[in-house]
Each structure stands twice: as C-alpha cells, then as structure tokens.
Amino acid sequence: VAYNASETYAKLHLPALDPQQPWWRSIDTAAWFEPQGNIRPRGREDMVPGSEYLMHPRSVIVLVERRLP
C-alpha cells in the first residue's frame, strides 16, 4: 500500500521479487484509472512491469504479489 499526498508525481522503487511472482496492481485511485473503476477484483489485477511505479498526485495504490498465471 502506498499513498502520495503531494501535488506532484512520485516514482516508487518496488522491492525486488522472484521473476515468476511479479507485482500486480489491485487498486489505484488516480484519475486516469477511474474509467476502469479504480479497483480490480482478486485474480484480475494488472501486472506491473519493471521495478518502478509512477504514482499520480493525491492517490493511493495497492499492489499484490502473486505467481504468473
């Protein structure tokens, strides 16, 4: 879980995981994600490529770790 309270973008450096167990975005409250509902149901999260995540201003994210399907 991460919270960006600032008015600017924040680049997160994600902890390294096993390549077969990447990070997945479950929730992102950024405005760009609103048309998609901001929340992904369990098992339908979006994979986060790489080891960084750019958070939008005043947003919250929830990332989960799970194996590739």
Side-chain angles (χ1 to χ4, degrees), residues 27-61:
I27 299 171
D28 190 334
T29 63
W32 73 270
F33 202 43
E34 285 181 12
Q36 300 173 46
N38 294 100
I39 300 172
R40 291 284 192 246
R42 185 176 182 181
R44 298 193 52 206
E45 300 93 347
D46 302 308
M47 190 170 71
V48 177
S51 61
E52 297 180 340
Y53 192 88
L54 186 63
M55 282 191 72
H56 284 239
R58 295 193 172 106
S59 65
V60 175
I61 64 165

Side-chain angles (χ1 to χ4, degrees), residues 10-32:
K11 185 186 291 187
L12 302 181
H13 298 279
L14 305 174
L17 298 175
D18 179 307
Q20 294 301 311
Q21 243 172 277
W23 289 108
W24 300 79
R25 180 182 52 234
S26 178
I27 299 171
D28 190 334
T29 63
W32 73 270

